[in-house]
Structures are given as structure tokens and as C-alpha cells.
Amino acid sequence: MTVQDIAGFDWDRTNQDKCQKHSVSLAEIEAIFHGTLAVFPDPTHSHHEERFIAIGKTPAGRSVFVAFTLRQRGHSTYIRPISARYMHRKEVEHYEKETAKIEDQ
């Protein structure tokens, strides 16, 4: 699945509040999905639904970690962010290593 296959984002008060808890704006969260993005499955937290971890950079260059799931409405797929935060230095180093692999392909 690519970003082009996504119809949009599934926001409500619950996930907006949880995602903004660490001062990451909704616009920053959405923006990382339009840039170079590393996505990993998150089986540890996937008891009731398939979850993923995305790491990417905002247009301002800040590295963001987003936990999310995909939701279907009719024939459309939406990204439902679950939580978000700015990444720690070691996470940023890992992201940069992973994106370098993607860009080399």
C-alpha cells in the first residue's frame, strides 16, 4: 500500500488529544506521510487490530514517531494515528540509516 492508496486521515477528539500530548501538531503528523517514511509492523501492540510504527521528518526537519493503524470505510482506506511524539537522538540515527537504505534502492 502506498500513500496514493490512502483516502485521508481518521481523526476524532480521542486520537487528536493523544497525538498532541507530546506537542506534535496534526499537520506535522500528516506531513510525515507525504515524505520519506520508514514503516514497521508493531506486533507487540496489535492485539485487536494490525498496528504500525512510522518514522519520518516534518517539513521543518523534526523527526517524528507515529503509531497508527489503517481503517476501512467502504472502499477507502484511512490512516488512524494512535500516538505521536518527537524522536530521541538514537531513534533519529536509526531513521536516517533506514531512509538511506530506501533511497539507495
Side-chain angles (χ1 to χ4, degrees):
M1 176 170 295
T2 66
V3 173
Q4 292 81 8
D5 298 327
I6 301 297
F9 290 83
D10 180 16
W11 292 113
D12 62 23
R13 179 55 54 203
T14 302
N15 69 337
Q16 287 177 357
D17 289 347
K18 188 163 185 188
C19 287
Q20 291 179 309
K21 176 180 172 183
H22 298 289
S23 301
V24 182
S25 74
L26 304 183
E28 287 176 309
I29 293 167
E30 291 184 10
I32 72 159
F33 285 91
H34 297 288
T36 302
L37 189 67
V39 177
F40 306 96
D42 185 14
T44 304
H45 297 101
S46 298
H47 303 294
H48 303 291
E49 62 188 354
E50 189 174 22
R51 289 193 180 185
F52 303 92
I53 294 169
I55 52 177
K57 289 196 180 211
T58 68
R62 294 199 67 183
S63 299
V64 177
F65 171 104
V66 178
F68 72 98
T69 191
L70 298 173
R71 293 280 170 89
Q72 291 294 130
R73 276 196 236 136
H75 297 294
S76 299
T77 302
Y78 292 83
I79 295 171
R80 179 168 177 84
I82 297 165
S83 66
R85 63 176 171 76
Y86 294 110
M87 293 169 35
H88 304 292
R89 183 182 52 81
K90 287 190 179 204
E91 292 170 324
V92 172
E93 291 169 2
H94 179 72
Y95 165 76
E96 290 172 350
K97 185 188 313 181
E98 291 300 316
T99 55
K101 289 180 191 175
I102 292 168
E103 291 169 357
D104 286 343
Q105 293 178 359

